[in-house]
Amino acid sequence: MRPSVPFSTLLSSLHAGQFAIISGLDAHNELYLRLTAMGLRIGKQVQLLRSAAFSGPLHVRVGTTDLMLRKSEAARVQVVPVDDTAGT
């Protein structure tokens, strides 16, 4: 039996209520600086609270801060989903 290896996905593909840990930011310099200034840094836990219809913005929580991100911006944030029942 293989050990479970965390898989990486995109913040934009999470389901509402799902938690994840940021594993990478694939963005040009200006966007990278903007995302990190908002608290989206590698190793931080994020939660997707909800996503608007018709590819609208995503409501994301990082720590105690709530953010609204364009789906195209969230697609630049690589995450590893975590089990929210594990107390993380």
Side-chain angles (χ1 to χ4, degrees):
M1 180 177 196
R2 289 184 178 179
S4 71
V5 176
F7 66 95
S8 181
T9 187
L10 301 176
L11 179 57
S12 60
S13 66
L14 294 179
H15 301 291
Q18 194 171 8
F19 289 86
I21 303 294
I22 298 173
S23 61
L25 297 171
D26 181 24
H28 57 82
N29 193 46
E30 289 177 14
L31 180 57
Y32 180 86
L33 293 174
R34 182 169 169 260
L35 292 173
T36 57
M38 290 190 293
L40 294 167
R41 296 185 179 97
I42 294 172
K44 287 283 207 173
Q45 179 174 289
V46 295
Q47 180 185 16
L48 178 65
L49 299 175
R50 63 180 163 230
S51 61
F54 305 109
S55 296
L58 304 178
H59 185 181
V60 177
R61 179 168 291 151
V62 182
T64 58
T65 304
D66 286 6
L67 307 169
M68 298 298 285
L69 291 175
R70 293 179 184 102
K71 194 160 191 165
S72 62
E73 295 169 339
R76 299 297 194 163
V77 181
Q78 299 165 354
V79 297
V80 176
V82 296
D83 181 10
D84 59 322
T85 61
T88 55

